[in-house]
Structures are given as structure tokens and as C-alpha cells.
Amino acid sequence: MDKRRDRRIEDHVEDENNKKIKVLHSQVSEIKAAANNIYQETKDSNSFLDVFNGQMEKGKAGVRNVFDRFEGVLADRNNRLSIYIAGFLTILFLIVWKYAMYSGGESS
């Protein structure tokens, strides 16, 4: 009789352990899926950052090139006057454009 009772207790404990193992297995699977998602997201982000960094370097080189050319133009006295005239005309255009936008924009 004690053996049957011990066997039932053993079976019960084994069933409980199997249930706990299943729960742990599902939790480990969820953690593994989350880790894979994090890995993929990190990989995609790094690829994006590599591309973005390359584009920024190209942009930086382009701005540097324009700045160097602009310095060369400013060094020449004749070009400096042309730049002042172009700057003045640009500012004048912006003022006239803004004035036209504010005065002609109210047609209600």
C-alpha cells in the first residue's frame, strides 16, 4: 500500500515537473525569439548607419569643396564685388517676395 501511495506521489511530482518544464520551454522560446528580433533589428540599424555615415561623408566632402571654391572666389577682388551684388539682389528679392506674400495673401 505504501508503494502505491509512493508511486502516485512520484507520478504526481513527475507530472508537475513536466508541466514546469513545458512552461520553462515556452519562456525560453519567447526569450530566444526576442533575442533574434533584437539581433535582426541591430543588424538592420547598423546597415542603415553605415549607409547614412557614407552619405554624410559625401555631403561633408561636397560642402568642403564648395567652401574651398568660395574662399577662392573671395580671394579675387573682382569676384568679391560680384558676390556682394548677388547677395544684395538675393536679399532684395526675399524682401519683395515676403512683402508680396503678406500683402496679396489675404483674399477672403
Side-chain angles (χ1 to χ4, degrees), residues 29-43:
S29 296
E30 289 175 13
I31 292 171
K32 184 178 177 182
N36 285 335
N37 289 340
I38 291 170
Y39 170 77
Q40 189 61 41
E41 187 67 31
T42 304
K43 187 176 171 184

Side-chain angles (χ1 to χ4, degrees), residues 1-15:
M1 195 147 141
D2 282 338
K3 287 189 176 198
R4 268 194 253 160
R5 189 184 68 165
D6 288 344
R7 182 68 183 154
R8 276 188 286 156
I9 292 173
E10 227 177 85
D11 289 343
H12 178 70
V13 169
E14 190 174 333
D15 288 342

